[in-house]
Amino acid sequence: MLGEILRKGREDKGYKSLELARLTKIDGALISKFESGKRLPTLAQLQLFAHTFDLNFDRLKVQWIKEKILTDFENDTNLLQAISTILAENKYVLPAGNEPKIDLILEEMERLKDKLQQLR
């Protein structure tokens, strides 16, 4: 979960929530909501956290996109079909050497599929 990654990043750098709020100029209550998973940061805020915590922005962004999709389309039974269509229409092919990422994508698609099946 993105919130857990952000909390761990903050703690690993030794920041208290109020220190981080002062440093980033992001309201402490909002930071708390990010860490608890009640809200998602903007991409600009996410980039600021990545820089502040020395975290990989691309990794954070993938997690952010995943959580945004699940939040925005939680009850949409067409989500898996839409994702599959996007992949097919764009002839999505991973660059050589990224085979393990395929497994992660397929695992995530299975989790989404299971979640959609539960909504039936």
Side-chain angles (χ1 to χ4, degrees), residues 24 26 41-51 57 64:
T24 61
I26 297 173
T42 65
L43 282 177
Q45 291 166 330
L46 192 67
Q47 194 162 22
L48 180 59
F49 289 134
H51 176 74
F57 177 68
W64 180 88

Side-chain angles (χ1 to χ4, degrees), residues 46-117:
L46 192 67
Q47 194 162 22
L48 180 59
F49 289 134
H51 176 74
T52 303
F53 304 148
D54 295 321
L55 297 174
N56 182 299
F57 177 68
D58 289 337
R59 178 176 169 248
L60 287 178
K61 188 176 178 184
V62 167
Q63 185 67 28
W64 180 88
I65 291 168
K66 181 182 100 172
E67 290 183 26
K68 184 147 182 66
I69 289 170
L70 289 173
T71 300
D72 291 354
F73 298 96
E74 181 178 17
N75 296 318
D76 192 330
T77 57
N78 297 317
L79 177 61
L80 189 58
Q81 181 181 357
I83 291 171
S84 297
T85 303
I86 290 169
L87 295 174
E89 286 176 355
N90 290 286
K91 297 176 177 65
Y92 182 73
V93 178
L94 286 174
N98 285 338
E99 291 79 11
K101 290 183 181 179
I102 292 173
D103 293 336
L104 294 175
I105 291 169
L106 292 174
E107 287 173 18
E108 191 59 37
M109 288 179 75
E110 280 300 315
R111 280 192 282 268
L112 289 170
K113 180 180 172 186
D114 291 343
K115 190 169 186 164
L116 292 171
Q117 292 292 342

Side-chain angles (χ1 to χ4, degrees), residues 1-11 15-17 20 28-39 41 49 53:
M1 183 171 166
L2 182 62
E4 293 169 6
I5 296 168
L6 295 177
R7 180 190 48 75
K8 183 171 178 351
R10 176 181 57 77
E11 290 174 350
Y15 292 120
K16 301 287 185 197
S17 294
L20 181 61
L30 195 54
I31 291 172
S32 177
K33 288 179 182 179
F34 296 156
E35 291 184 0
S36 69
K38 293 179 182 173
R39 281 208 42 197
F49 289 134
F53 304 148

